[in-house]
């Protein structure tokens, strides 16, 4: 699946990270419907592995995950791929420390429309958004 | 008393020969024998020496025996001096003897029988000696009483200064629980004097809600002799109540009977307030944690379901009816999203405080409310007297003002006046310079019973419309600026005038990043 995404050059490729199956799949379908290629990873480590071998345009990750968290993933991604945008999603009501590492920190309650808008804005090189 | 002391015997006679014979008779008694040749000489001797017995001849030239006895008796010092007359027995003499009502008086008729004289003198000498011993014992006892009294007075003074130096109110009660003494602190605290409370019941200073309960626990201790302890408020001289931990212990005599009670009242108001504040802050923290858990547990599935319905809504395989159901479900889901966004969501702001114009934020907030202001028929009176800029986070400050102004607008569904003031001010309590924003409305007012709870989480008067978190969160935000938020509500004509006032110190820059936030519902 990863190979297919990398080969289609006219679409942005999003690496979608979440430890929970249902939200991950639904988010993938949503992003595909919005016109993106989607590669999924079930942990931060898996995401780092994929990012080192595939051409990725944006990482969209849940924050609270077992193993490395979203903010830790963002920090590591920025070290390995400084230009790769990272968007974090969270269901928590507090912005965790280290959220600065990501380009955008978004609440899950904002809904599908807003998520797609923000991702488009980040991919189009908009300055760091504020929600 | 040690060995028998000899006493003085005064012998008075104008005839030296008789004196010599008396001396010979009395010598064996071992007393001091003093001779006087006349009444005058006898008086001189009496004034100089303590005399136990006067032995005198009735018939003497210048002053006779009876005259001398009268003189002796007049003097208070000699009223108990024994007098023995030596005389030929005349009836008239015996009658005169009866005239001496007080003191020991006796007579010996002539011719003198030596044994009789010796016996009589000996009895009187002994009586005198015993009297002297008694007196000396008395004096000693009196001295001891004086010393003990002084000791008691000193110990009493020490007790009082101790009782007045302790920070507690202190008192003493008799065995039946009647208080007969209070320390100075009691009088200072209650604003009474010892005269005021002498006959009054100290229960008059109890908080009315506690009189019965505390009265019972006191009664129980008075009856059983068990130490007493209770916690209840006592009224101070300014009419306010403070909490006291009160204790009383029985003081017993040598055989274990309670003679009195010693009691203290320790002011624990501050401790109690600190404990309550701790409980409250723990409750708030617990609520914060709970909100975090709920947020996480609701928001995660909510996102998935929202995405699912987003995909389902326009799915080509659905017929119109199914699509309609999906649309309804998506709409209801957006309601859940709305409430969690308002209560449990966060707002991202810049990490550092930036210059904020409060007047701009106020204009912005009033603009947001413009539709409702127009619909409700509310007139707006803006009075900005400062264009000063403070350092802060604009979104959270906007949130505070949106809460306060939004509440004011909601309190006036039938119209009214909204006044918004902004001015530079000095906080009266601390003297700090800063900005004050006051929002007045002529709406429903705030019920006195709600006044204490208004800043508590989940307190709302708007039933289903409000989350009950707006003012709680606003207060938290203002506290981050080390500012204060307070309100007053009073009757004005037929309605109410309510004012919410926010003070933000000018020099304070909040250091923490914004946390949980909500928008006015």
């Amino acid at each position: 699946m990863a190979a297919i995404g990398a080969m289609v050059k006219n679409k942005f490729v999003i690496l979608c990270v979440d430890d929970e199956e249902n939200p991950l799949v639904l988010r993938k379908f949503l992003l595909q419907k919005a016109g993106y290629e989607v590669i999924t990873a079930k942990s931060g480590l898996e995401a780092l592995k994929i990012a080192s071998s595939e051409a990725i345009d944006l990482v969209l990750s849940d924050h609270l995950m077992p193993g490395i968290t979203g903010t830790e993933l963002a920090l590591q991604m920025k070290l390995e791929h400084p230009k790769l945008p990272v968007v974090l999603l969270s269901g928590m009501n507090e912005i965790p420390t280290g959220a600065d590492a990501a380009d955008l920190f978004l609440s899950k309650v904002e809904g599908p429309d807003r998520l797609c808008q923000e991702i488009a804005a980040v991919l189009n090189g908009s300055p760091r958004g504020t929600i | 008393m040690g060995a028998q002391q000899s006493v003085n015997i005064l012998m008075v006679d104008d005839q030296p020969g008789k004196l010599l014979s008396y001396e010979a008779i009395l010598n064996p008694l071992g007393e001091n024998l003093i001779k006087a040749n006349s009444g005058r000489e006898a008086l001189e001797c009496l004034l100089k020496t303590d005399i136990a017995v006067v032995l005198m001849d009735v018939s003497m030239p210048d002053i006779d025996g009876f005259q001398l006895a009268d003189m002796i008796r007049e003097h208070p010092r000699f009223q108990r001096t024994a007098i023995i007359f030596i005389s030929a027995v005349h009836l008239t003499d015996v009658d005169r003897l009866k005239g001496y009502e007080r003191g020991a008086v006796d007579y010996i008729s002539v011719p003198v029988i030596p044994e009789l004289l010796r016996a009589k003198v000996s009895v009187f000498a002994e009586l005198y000696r015993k009297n002297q011993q008694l007196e000396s014992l008395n004096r000693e006892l009196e001295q001891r009483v004086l010393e003990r009294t002084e000791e008691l007075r000193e110990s009493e003074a020490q007790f009082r200064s101790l009782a007045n130096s302790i920070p507690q109110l202190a008192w003493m009660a008799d065995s039946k629980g009647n208080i007969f003494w209070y320390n100075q602190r009691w009088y200072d605290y209650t604003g009474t004097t010892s005269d005021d409370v002498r006959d009054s019941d100290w229960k008059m200073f109890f908080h009315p809600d506690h009189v019965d309960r505390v009265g019972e626990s006191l009664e129980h201790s008075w009856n059983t002799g068990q130490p007493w302890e209770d916690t209840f408020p006592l009224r101070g001289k300014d009419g306010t109540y403070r909490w006291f931990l009160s204790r009383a212990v029985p003081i017993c005599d040598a055989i274990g009977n309670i003679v009195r009670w010693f009691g203290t009242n320790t002011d624990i108001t501050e401790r109690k307030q600190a404990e309550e504040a701790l409980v409250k802050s723990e409750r708030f923290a617990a609520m914060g944690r709970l909100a975090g858990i709920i947020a996480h547990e609701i928001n995660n599935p909510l996102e998935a379901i929202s995405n699912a319905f987003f995909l389902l809504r326009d799915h080509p395989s659905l017929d119109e009816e199914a699509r309609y159901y999906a649309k309804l479900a998506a709409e209801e889901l957006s309601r859940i999203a709305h409430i969690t966004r308002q209560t449990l969501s966060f707002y991202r702001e810049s990490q550092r405080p930036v210059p904020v114009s409060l007047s701009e934020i106020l204009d912005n907030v009033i603009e947001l409310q413009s539709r409702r202001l127009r619909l409700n028929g509310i007139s707006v009176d803006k009075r900005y007297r400062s264009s000063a800029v403070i350092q802060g986070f604009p979104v959270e400050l906007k949130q505070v003002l949106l809460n306060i102004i939004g509440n004011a607008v909601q309190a006036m569904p039938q119209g009214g006046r909204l006044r918004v003031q902004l001015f530079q001010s000095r906080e009266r309590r601390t003297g700090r310079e800063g900005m004050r924003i006051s929002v007045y409305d002529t709406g429903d007012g705030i019920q006195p019973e709600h006044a204490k709870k208004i800043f508590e989480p989940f307190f709302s008067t708007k039933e289903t419309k409000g989350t009950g978190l707006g003012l709680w969160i606003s207060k938290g935000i203002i506290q981050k600026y080390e500012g204060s938020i307070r309100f007053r509500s009073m009757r004005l004509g037929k309605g109410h005038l309510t004012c919410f006032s926010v003070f933000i110190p000018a020099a304070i820059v909040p250091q923490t990043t914004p946390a949980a936030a909500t928008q006015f519902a």
Side-chain angles (χ1 to χ4, degrees):
Chain A
M1 196 199 283
I4 300 164
M7 282 193 293
V8 182
K9 291 292 173 196
N10 59 340
K11 282 188 178 181
F12 284 118
V13 180
I14 296 175
L15 173 58
C16 208
V17 194
D18 202 320
D19 60 306
E20 288 186 88
E21 179 68 24
N22 287 355
L24 180 63
V25 169
L26 284 162
R27 212 175 292 135
K28 182 182 82 174
F29 291 146
L30 178 78
L31 293 169
Q32 284 172 340
K33 199 177 174 189
Y36 300 110
E37 275 301 325
V38 181
I39 306 171
T40 58
K42 299 205 73 174
S43 73
L45 285 175
E46 193 188 342
L48 286 167
K49 205 180 286 174
I50 293 169
S52 63
S53 59
E54 304 290 336
I56 305 290
D57 295 300
L58 184 141
V59 178
L60 175 65
S61 174
D62 184 26
H63 167 61
L64 207 63
M65 296 184 293
I68 62 173
T69 63
T71 52
E72 286 161 354
L73 175 63
L75 200 67
Q76 195 57 37
M77 280 289 180
K78 288 290 173 187
L79 284 175
E80 294 176 16
H81 315 279
K83 289 191 175 151
L84 179 60
V86 178
V87 175
L88 292 181
L89 267 179
S90 179
M92 300 198 309
N93 62 351
E94 271 179 34
I95 299 176
T97 51
D100 271 1
D103 294 73
L104 183 65
F105 197 95
L106 204 57
S107 168
K108 285 184 181 173
V109 281
E110 295 300 340
D113 287 316
R114 182 74 183 271
L115 176 67
C116 293
Q117 278 171 28
E118 295 292 338
I119 284 173
V122 172
L123 285 169
N124 290 330
S126 299
R128 288 179 166 204
T130 57
I131 301 296
Chain B
M1 290 244 126
Q4 191 139 308
Q5 279 184 316
S6 49
V7 297
N8 297 322
I9 316 278
L10 180 61
M11 304 171 296
V12 194
D13 205 312
D14 57 324
Q15 298 171 50
K18 281 195 182 167
L19 285 176
L20 279 173
S21 68
Y22 298 151
E23 193 177 17
I25 293 166
L26 296 177
N27 242 338
L29 292 177
E31 313 289 1
N32 294 330
L33 302 175
I34 302 167
K35 290 176 273 191
N37 287 312
S38 66
R40 200 173 304 278
E41 212 183 312
L43 280 173
E44 270 172 32
C45 184
L46 273 164
L47 289 171
K48 277 187 276 183
T49 346
D50 279 332
I51 304 296
V53 185
V54 183
L55 182 69
M56 61 169 98
D57 191 5
V58 171
S59 53
M60 286 185 294
D62 50 350
I63 306 170
D64 79 11
F66 290 121
Q67 283 173 315
L68 181 60
D70 287 342
M71 284 170 173
I72 290 170
R73 280 287 178 265
E74 270 169 28
H75 201 291
R77 221 180 99 196
F78 308 133
Q79 277 174 0
R80 284 208 314 250
T81 305
I83 299 169
I84 300 172
F85 296 106
I86 297 172
S87 162
V89 185
H90 295 297
L91 220 58
T92 52
D93 288 349
V94 176
D95 286 346
R96 280 188 79 176
L97 281 171
K98 286 178 184 162
Y100 299 106
E101 286 169 357
R102 287 173 305 183
V105 173
D106 209 341
Y107 72 93
I108 287 176
S109 52
V110 285
V112 171
I113 301 161
E115 287 73 19
L116 189 66
L117 177 61
R118 208 158 37 229
K120 288 206 170 181
V121 169
S122 166
V123 165
F124 283 124
E126 199 55 35
L127 187 67
Y128 181 84
R129 208 175 351 253
K130 289 278 187 274
N131 264 337
Q132 263 193 329
Q133 284 172 3
L134 211 59
E135 263 171 33
S136 130
L137 197 64
N138 257 343
R139 272 196 304 276
E140 209 172 290
L141 282 173
E142 271 169 20
Q143 183 59 32
R144 276 168 68 183
V145 166
L146 275 176
E147 281 168 9
R148 287 304 302 274
T149 308
E150 178 62 17
E151 277 170 24
L152 276 174
R153 203 192 57 73
E154 258 177 44
S155 124
E156 167 90 3
Q158 278 172 1
F159 169 75
R160 269 169 210 273
S161 69
L162 176 73
N164 287 329
S165 69
I166 59 172
Q168 280 91 349
L169 316 182
W171 43 269
M172 277 193 285
D174 65 20
S175 58
K176 294 186 179 67
N178 302 307
I179 298 181
F180 59 85
W181 174 85
Y182 294 100
N183 71 347
Q184 190 55 41
R185 268 182 213 279
W186 167 273
Y187 295 121
D188 292 346
Y189 176 72
T190 56
T192 51
T193 65
S194 52
D195 292 335
D196 292 339
V197 293
R198 183 162 295 157
D199 296 319
S200 65
D201 194 347
W202 74 312
K203 290 188 184 109
M204 66 188 276
F205 299 105
F206 289 17
H207 191 281
D209 295 351
H210 298 258
V211 171
D212 291 344
R213 180 182 60 77
V214 178
E216 273 174 33
S217 80
L218 272 170
E219 204 62 39
H220 178 76
S221 280
W222 304 149
N223 292 337
T224 60
Q226 283 173 359
W228 173 72
E229 184 178 314
D230 212 328
T231 303
F232 57 95
L234 286 171
R235 193 178 66 239
K237 61 180 167 208
D238 58 355
T240 61
Y241 286 88
R242 294 182 69 80
W243 281 88
F244 285 86
L245 170 64
S246 301
R247 288 194 174 115
V249 288
I251 294 165
C252 300
D253 63 14
I255 55 166
N257 290 324
I258 293 172
V259 286
R260 58 177 166 270
W261 291 81
F262 184 74
T264 56
N265 310 89
T266 309
D267 190 335
I268 54 160
T269 310
E270 260 97 50
R271 202 170 84 197
K272 217 171 157 58
Q273 281 169 348
E275 281 168 5
E276 278 167 11
L278 186 67
V279 167
K280 206 178 245 185
S281 74
E282 276 171 356
R283 203 167 70 210
F284 283 5
M287 247 167 226
R289 285 193 296 276
L290 185 68
I293 294 165
I294 292 172
H296 187 257
E297 293 310 308
I298 289 178
N299 291 346
N300 277 349
L302 182 64
E303 187 229 358
I305 301 168
S306 300
N307 288 348
F309 275 101
F310 185 83
L311 294 165
L312 191 62
R313 204 171 53 187
D314 301 319
H315 201 276
S317 70
L318 291 193
D319 65 12
E320 201 169 322
E321 191 185 353
R323 212 170 290 156
Y324 175 66
Y325 296 152
K327 179 176 163 282
L328 286 185
E331 274 174 19
E332 292 307 301
L333 269 180
S334 71
R335 275 181 59 184
I336 301 177
H338 180 71
I339 188 76
T340 67
R341 191 184 296 122
Q342 280 180 335
T343 54
L344 305 169
S345 157
F346 54 76
Y347 287 82
R348 185 166 169 79
E349 281 204 81
S350 51
Q351 298 290 310
R352 289 167 203 283
V354 295
V356 181
S357 163
L358 289 171
S359 58
E360 260 178 44
I361 291 184
L362 282 170
D363 277 341
N364 199 309
V365 167
I366 292 165
E367 178 59 32
L368 280 172
Q369 294 286 325
S370 60
R371 189 169 158 272
R372 250 199 295 193
L373 289 167
R374 205 174 51 246
L375 284 175
N376 290 5
I378 298 166
S379 65
V380 182
D381 176 14
K382 289 196 269 190
R383 298 188 179 187
Y384 304 160
R385 297 211 190 86
S386 170
S387 54
V389 163
I390 63 159
Q391 294 290 314
F393 298 97
V395 172
E396 61 182 16
L397 287 170
K398 182 174 166 186
Q399 191 188 341
V400 171
L401 297 174
L402 195 58
N403 266 313
I404 292 172
I405 290 174
N407 282 345
V409 171
Q410 283 204 339
M412 298 185 282
Q414 311 298 323
R417 292 193 311 279
L418 175 74
R419 177 185 289 173
V420 181
Q421 291 183 339
L422 170 66
F423 51 97
Q424 286 186 31
S425 164
R426 183 190 291 272
E427 196 178 37
R428 207 181 303 161
R429 194 170 52 82
T430 60
R432 293 179 303 174
E433 294 278 357
M435 301 293 286
R436 189 172 285 285
I437 302 149
S438 297
V439 176
Y440 295 84
D441 71 67
T442 56
D444 303 331
I446 292 160
Q447 301 295 316
E449 65 267 29
H450 293 158
K452 274 188 175 171
K453 296 182 184 166
I454 205 160
F455 290 109
E456 286 184 9
F458 303 117
F459 177 79
S460 177
T461 57
K462 300 174 201 162
E463 293 177 3
T464 54
K465 278 187 187 169
T467 60
L469 291 172
L471 285 175
W472 175 56
I473 287 166
S474 298
K475 191 178 185 182
I477 290 169
I478 293 303
Q479 277 171 349
K480 214 167 64 181
Y481 289 77
E482 291 181 29
S484 59
I485 179 166
R486 56 192 169 84
F487 70 93
R488 281 174 70 184
S489 188
M490 60 185 120
R491 286 202 155 275
L492 185 74
K494 285 176 189 167
H496 294 86
L497 181 67
T498 303
C499 171
F500 271 82
S501 184
V502 174
F503 176 80
I504 302 171
I508 300 297
V509 175
Q511 293 303 313
T512 50
T513 52
T518 183
Q519 261 191 318
F520 171 76

